[in-house]
Amino acid sequence: MSLSDISVRLGRAVEAAGRPTGSVKLIAISKVQPLGRVRAVLESGHRIFGENRVQEAGEKWPDFKAEFDPADRAARETAQPGKIELHLVGPLQSNKLNRALELFDAIHSLDRDSLARKLSKAVQSRGSCPEIFIQVNTGREAQKSGIDPDFLDAFVETCQRSYDLPIRGLMVIPPVDDAPETHFRQLADLARRNGLDGLSMGMSGDFETAIACGATHVRVGSAIFGARKTGP
Ligand SMILES: *Cc1c(COP(=O)(O)O)cnc(C)c1O
């Protein structure tokens, strides 16, 4: 597999779902990958990437941005393929919040009130806000982050009303042993009910299913870059 294979499959899935071309964003998840593989994907022109750890992102992306981002505004506006867009898809600890806001254009893992409150304050003092997705634990797995679906509506309302946070959409990581489609459909229902249209769902093994269920953001790692080393 490679980026171009995945782009082709993504395009076919979008078309098969009867959805408009360009309605699904492909986030290339580069965590743990050798820098050479990431560089090759950057050189091919892809600009949307995701990481699951703030510290790891901070070690590689400032250099890539310095190298690949067009230097000034005029160049940015005319440049093909444009500026790097970085998405945080893994858990966010409060003490890494400010670093995360320096690095990331989108956060997919808002999962608790205390983080929403701190995010709101930080966003106000910075005067800019990343795209925010609320992670939902549709599988109700004890060890997994994410808001319990029963509490989601109230949490969305608190984020919007009390914290004045613009919520782009919802994100899910289905339980490994379940058919993902049930979880994708549930996430889409939860989003619709809350008036949200962003759906961050689908990974290497199931992004086409996610697109059929309405995904607007798919997070694909190993199918683009190759298998990750899973530690010693
Ligand atoms: C690693 C990761 C992905 C990508 O997983 P692949 O199976 O390699 O495509 C997607 N989403 C999250 C939250 C991840 O941590």
Side-chain angles (χ1 to χ4, degrees):
M1 284 295 156
S2 68
L3 177 69
S4 58
D5 297 329
I6 297 303
S7 299
V8 169
R9 283 173 53 190
L10 183 146
R12 285 195 192 124
V14 169
E15 199 184 324
R19 299 178 51 195
T21 311
S23 57
V24 179
K25 200 173 253 198
L26 175 59
I27 306 171
I29 307 294
S30 48
K31 65 182 185 201
V32 199
Q33 296 290 349
L35 296 183
R37 290 187 189 168
V38 183
R39 170 180 297 279
V41 171
L42 276 161
E43 280 167 353
S44 79
H46 194 73
R47 286 295 177 270
I48 309 168
F49 292 84
E51 291 282 342
N52 72 333
R53 302 182 67 164
V54 177
Q55 186 178 334
E56 186 187 334
E59 285 161 9
K60 73 182 93 155
W61 285 98
D63 287 348
F64 278 143
K65 285 183 181 178
E67 185 179 346
F68 287 93
D69 270 351
D72 57 60
R73 193 194 179 95
R76 253 200 313 274
E77 274 158 13
T78 52
Q80 302 285 330
K83 210 170 169 296
I84 291 171
E85 184 181 304
L86 210 54
H87 293 247
L88 177 65
V89 301
L92 178 54
Q93 295 164 266
S94 300
N95 62 353
K96 302 234 169 78
L97 178 59
N98 282 311
R99 184 64 177 136
L101 292 173
E102 287 164 11
L103 288 164
F104 292 100
D105 303 289
I107 292 173
H108 291 240
S109 51
L110 177 58
D111 62 353
R112 59 196 187 278
D113 189 274
S114 59
L115 182 62
R117 183 160 29 83
K118 287 176 183 144
L119 186 56
S120 167
K121 280 197 187 128
V123 157
Q124 276 165 25
S125 71
R126 295 173 66 88
S128 69
C129 188
E131 280 197 323
I132 300 167
F133 293 81
I134 295 172
Q135 186 173 349
V136 188
N137 188 358
T138 56
R140 296 188 164 87
E141 296 172 283
Q143 78 286 7
K144 196 168 269 173
S145 10
I147 298 278
D148 183 296
D150 291 342
F151 303 129
L152 180 72
D153 299 1
F155 185 64
V156 171
E157 179 157 332
T158 302
C159 288
Q160 293 172 330
R161 297 252 173 101
S162 309
Y163 299 139
D164 203 20
L165 285 172
I167 302 299
R168 174 71 181 84
L170 305 179
M171 179 272 219
V172 72
I173 307 171
V176 279
D177 297 328
D178 277 12
E181 186 168 345
T182 323
H183 297 274
F184 296 157
R185 297 222 176 273
Q186 197 187 342
L187 198 74
D189 285 345
L190 291 167
R192 201 173 304 120
R193 181 164 104 191
N194 282 283
L196 302 170
D197 58 13
L199 288 170
S200 168
M201 57 191 197
M203 317 204 301
S204 290
D206 54 24
F207 71 92
E208 286 146 316
T209 307
I211 289 169
C213 297
T216 57
H217 295 64
V218 294
R219 311 178 309 262
V220 181
S222 44
I224 292 174
F225 296 101
R228 284 180 295 273
K229 288 211 180 76
T230 48

